[in-house]
Amino acid sequence: MNFHPIDWVILVIYLAGTVFAGLRARRYVENMEGYYVAGRKVKVALGSATLIATEIGVVTFMYFGQLGYLTGFSCFILGLIGVFGYMVIGKTGFIVAGLRRLKVITIPEFYELRYNKSVRWLGGVLLFVGGVLNMGVFLRFDGIFLTETMGLGESEKAIVMVIMLIIVVSYTILGGMFSVVITDFIQFVVLSFGMFIATIFVLMKVNMASIANTVVTHYGKAGIDPILNPQFGWVFIFWMLVGSVALSALNQPAVSKAFASESPEVGRKVFLFSGFTLAGRYMIPMLWGAAALAVFGPHINSLVAMPRLLGKLVPSGLLGLMVAGMLAASMSTYSAYLLAWSTVATRDVISPLLKGPMSDRWNVTITRLVAAAIGIFMLVFGLFYQLPSTAFQYLSLTGAMYAAGAFACVTAGLYWKKANTVGAYSGLAFGAVAPAAFLLLSQFKDALPTNLFFLVDVNVSGLLSFILAAAGMVIGSLLTQKTHAPVKLPESYYNNEA
């Protein structure tokens, strides 16, 4: 057991305070818009803090730590690519400013404005399914991280997962976006302190020269050059460059922070200022993973290496603070993702099937029920599903399942006058084909003929999803201009009204 009484006291006080703050936020929820987008009152500083907290959780530490352990320094390229995506959006307002100007709450709402209600429903289904599959492994990674750092046994992992789920679901479904934003700010502060503590003690015990020598010894040039690393290569880099912009601009949990901002300009700046910290947020857990390689060697489970290192090196007392910081990160991610996907299910999948509009009360009630159902799915999925690749690649591919088609439909819808309904259907459907084929066929890889092995190459599938989505949008639209005339957006968009 790595945890001592002082660590438990720190952790319990933090968790109790966070839940209290989240539940208190319920009194600020005046209506549906308040629940979903915090009344669109969020300013730059708070929006940036909550976006940073949303975009890095225990799952982020786990998959970046695993990459650092398996690939050395070559995975640092992802930090630079991530900065590229956020800077494109932050400097230009690409996609995000236009969607905020239209005052949508979810991305599929845009599909109804630009195409029709059926496209909205299809886009909502793909967004919800891809998003929930993406989130399905979060609890499992939390269980691994906490049992390893705290020194608990494998048998306690399920108990840890259940406790985490209850805490986050409770304040998310009651307080909505106000709970998310308020608790995210607290968690941003605690997370930053936790990362600082962990990094100091890792570097005190394992110096950079030792880490570098270990990486070169085990991986050679592939531990430094991402082009030479078999996990990466040019196809992977091209996929990540496109995906960094698409996922940054169209990941509902992240872009909801821009939707909650007080203006399109504030929404753009939220991404700009958040991007300044992104390389460090990526590279620090990667460094921890590389340090774990230096301490434990290459022969342990790559997922447990990084948290086991932190549990071993960080002393009692400070370990409690560090774990509180990691849980802060995880809780902010869960809360934002739960709210985002349950909102999409309610507004874009369930509501369009009804004959009339739902009241604000029923919108919020169904969203809460869906959030609870997603939580149960996460628990079951996390306990039993076996990842077909590294955690990072699985998460990137499930993200591409919805982001590829959404990127084609939203980009064309905002910036190309010829985009039409047929193009939208084609883009959404084609974008989901390659990731869905990978997730299904990877479970039966041994039975595939050799000429179909490219379908279970995660990098090929990821890049192919964006190519197919763009082709579907362009070809589908151009071939049907006469039969399906494009629909114009509301005049407020063209007049740049907030």
Side-chain angles (χ1 to χ4, degrees):
M1 172 69 74
N2 300 327
F3 247 47
H4 292 83
I6 184 62
D7 298 307
W8 284 108
V9 169
I10 292 169
L11 187 59
V12 169
I13 290 174
Y14 169 73
L15 292 177
T18 300
V19 172
F20 175 77
L23 294 178
R24 288 283 291 175
R26 186 180 182 183
R27 61 180 177 166
Y28 297 107
V29 180
E30 300 171 352
N31 52 33
M32 184 175 65
E33 191 169 78
Y35 185 83
Y36 289 130
V37 288
R40 303 194 196 273
K41 299 175 182 177
V42 176
K43 299 182 184 296
V44 174
L46 183 57
S48 300
T50 187
L51 179 55
I52 291 169
T54 295
E55 287 295 272
I56 187 163
V58 164
V59 62
T60 320
F61 291 119
M62 290 293 288
Y63 66 67
F64 282 144
Q66 183 187 37
L67 278 181
Y69 181 81
L70 292 174
T71 67
F73 301 136
S74 61
C75 59
F76 282 17
I77 186 68
L78 290 168
L80 302 178
I81 292 174
V83 171
F84 167 78
Y86 266 61
M87 288 298 149
V88 167
I89 297 165
K91 294 293 288 184
T92 67
F94 180 61
I95 292 180
V96 168
L99 293 178
R100 172 60 184 84
R101 198 179 304 139
L102 291 167
K103 296 184 178 179
V104 298
I105 291 176
T106 66
I107 292 163
E109 285 182 34
F110 170 80
Y111 299 152
E112 184 172 357
L113 291 174
R114 185 64 170 83
Y115 305 112
N116 62 30
K117 184 176 288 188
S118 297
V119 174
R120 176 180 179 176
W121 185 83
L122 176 61
V125 169
L126 291 174
L127 185 60
F128 178 74
V129 171
V132 172
L133 284 175
N134 185 268
M135 194 180 182
V137 296
F138 285 15
L139 267 180
R140 178 181 176 181
F141 291 151
D142 273 10
I144 294 172
F145 179 86
L146 291 173
T147 52
E148 290 293 333
T149 53
M150 297 167 72
L152 302 174
E154 177 69 19
S155 59
E156 281 86 15
K157 184 168 68 176
I159 298 173
V160 170
M161 292 167 66
V162 170
I163 293 172
M164 278 293 300
L165 183 63
I166 292 172
I167 291 171
V168 178
V169 168
S170 63
Y171 72 77
T172 301
I173 66 176
L174 290 175
M177 183 58 79
F178 272 115
S179 285
V180 172
V181 170
I182 290 171
T183 54
D184 273 1
F185 186 76
I186 299 169
Q187 289 156 359
F188 167 71
V189 175
V190 180
L191 164 63
S192 301
F193 188 60
M195 290 181 70
F196 176 75
I197 290 172
T199 304
I200 290 296
F201 280 95
V202 167
L203 293 179
M204 284 175 60
K205 304 289 185 177
V206 193
N207 62 60
M208 283 298 299
S210 176
I211 297 172
N213 288 335
T214 302
V215 167
V216 172
T217 299
H218 290 293
Y219 302 130
K221 292 183 179 179
I224 300 171
D225 188 342
I227 305 301
L228 299 178
N229 196 295
Q231 295 268 11
F232 305 135
W234 283 116
V235 173
F236 173 85
I237 290 174
F238 286 138
W239 169 30
M240 287 296 105
L241 283 170
V242 176
S244 69
V245 177
L247 282 168
S248 298
L250 294 168
N251 182 23
Q252 181 70 38
V255 78
S256 62
K257 306 306 169 67
F259 295 166
S261 63
E262 63 180 7
S263 71
E265 181 65 12
V266 170
R268 177 187 70 78
K269 289 181 179 179
V270 164
F271 273 83
L272 179 64
F273 293 125
S274 298
F276 291 143
T277 69
L278 195 138
R281 289 184 278 132
Y282 280 25
M283 293 179 184
I284 287 173
M286 292 173 181
L287 177 64
W288 297 344
L293 178 68
V295 172
F296 301 123
H299 303 300
I300 66 171
N301 185 329
S302 58
L303 269 176
V304 308
M306 182 274 290
R308 186 172 295 177
L309 176 78
L310 297 183
K312 178 180 179 180
L313 298 186
V314 180
S316 179
L318 291 176
L319 182 61
L321 286 172
M322 186 209 73
V323 170
M326 301 301 109
L327 282 181
S330 193
M331 291 167 68
S332 62
T333 300
Y334 280 134
S335 57
Y337 276 59
L338 276 174
L339 182 61
W341 303 136
S342 57
T343 300
V344 168
T346 302
R347 296 179 61 82
D348 305 312
V349 178
I350 297 172
S351 182
L353 298 176
L354 303 178
K355 291 183 179 180
M358 283 193 292
S359 65
D360 283 9
R361 179 183 176 184
W362 272 107
N363 262 286
V364 173
T365 299
I366 293 175
T367 299
R368 287 169 170 164
L369 292 174
V370 174
I374 293 172
I376 295 170
F377 168 80
M378 288 168 57
L379 180 62
V380 176
F381 191 84
L383 286 171
F384 297 107
Y385 183 72
Q386 297 299 315
L387 291 176
S389 57
T390 65
F392 175 79
Q393 289 170 320
Y394 168 83
L395 292 166
S396 297
L397 198 66
T398 50
M401 183 181 291
Y402 63 81
F407 191 53
C409 289
V410 176
T411 303
L414 288 172
Y415 305 112
W416 188 39
K417 294 181 179 180
K418 293 185 177 182
N420 69 6
T421 302
V422 175
Y425 281 130
S426 303
L428 288 170
F430 288 4
V433 167
F438 171 86
L439 292 174
L440 177 64
L441 295 177
S442 61
Q443 302 297 311
F444 310 99
K445 184 174 181 179
D446 294 339
L448 283 178
T450 55
N451 62 331
L452 293 180
F453 274 9
F454 74 95
L455 292 175
V456 289
D457 183 320
V458 65
N459 296 333
V460 171
S461 294
L463 182 59
L464 194 59
S465 65
F466 286 95
I467 295 173
L468 290 175
M473 166 54 74
V474 173
I475 296 172
S477 294
L478 291 178
L479 291 179
T480 58
Q481 287 292 296
K482 293 183 179 179
T483 57
H484 295 77
V487 177
K488 289 187 66 176
L489 289 168
E491 287 300 320
S492 60
Y493 172 75
Y494 300 102
N495 295 334
N496 291 326
E497 295 177 9

